[in-house]
Amino acid sequence: MYTEKVMDHFENPRNVGEIPDADGVGLVGNPTCGDIMKIYLKVDNDVITDIKFKTFGCGAAIATSSMVTEMAKGKTINEALRLSNQAVAEALDGLPPQKMHCSNLAADALHAAIENYRDKQK
Ligand code: FES
């Protein structure tokens, strides 16, 4: 039911943890399943230089969090904002239809962290 890539990111998640002096933090939750995802960013010169996540959720939520952090690292803020849940799911070679909302959570947490970073710049 899950692709090899999903299983790999679930079993060996990348960029797990927190960044104590993060430049932006995004927290989102899914009201239906109760899963929660938090993403921390370090930004230098408009580029995401470090990113970490903590996810209290299902296997697909952990795999999509891991993948979204890999995809966002090294990208500019604008490039990272364009990362969609669809792109995250595709990078994992797909998710079962009933698990697509898990990738929404990952993209939303990234976007929330970027918004938080932008608010702090004002
Ligand atoms: Fe809720 Fe996966 S079941 S994020």
Side-chain angles (χ1 to χ4, degrees):
M1 154 165 163
Y2 287 117
T3 67
E4 266 177 43
K5 277 195 189 165
V6 172
M7 289 311 292
D8 177 36
H9 278 265
F10 168 58
E11 285 170 1
N12 313 290
R14 300 8 166 216
N15 305 308
V16 177
E18 50 188 291
I19 302 176
D21 58 340
D23 298 314
V25 181
L27 174 69
V28 294
N30 183 307
T32 320
C33 64
D35 289 359
I36 295 171
M37 197 178 288
K38 199 169 185 182
I39 286 189
Y40 304 78
L41 298 178
K42 269 314 245 188
V43 182
D44 188 23
N45 235 335
D46 218 40
V47 172
I48 298 176
T49 53
D50 199 11
I51 176 165
K52 294 219 184 302
F53 79 91
K54 275 191 168 173
T55 292
F56 181 84
C58 71
I62 290 165
T64 54
S65 316
S66 168
M67 181 52 91
V68 86
T69 59
E70 283 220 310
M71 293 171 86
K73 207 177 207 170
K75 288 213 165 47
T76 66
I77 289 295
N78 280 334
E79 286 167 344
L81 271 177
R82 284 199 293 272
L83 279 178
S84 64
N85 63 322
Q86 195 67 39
V88 176
E90 276 170 17
L92 288 165
D93 292 336
L95 284 168
Q98 72 274 25
K99 287 288 176 182
M100 278 306 288
H101 78 272
C102 315
S103 63
N104 282 334
L105 209 56
D108 287 352
L110 173 66
H111 297 162
I114 292 173
E115 262 175 45
N116 177 248
Y117 163 72
R118 285 192 160 161
D119 285 346
K120 285 184 177 178
Q121 300 304 299
K122 281 180 197 154

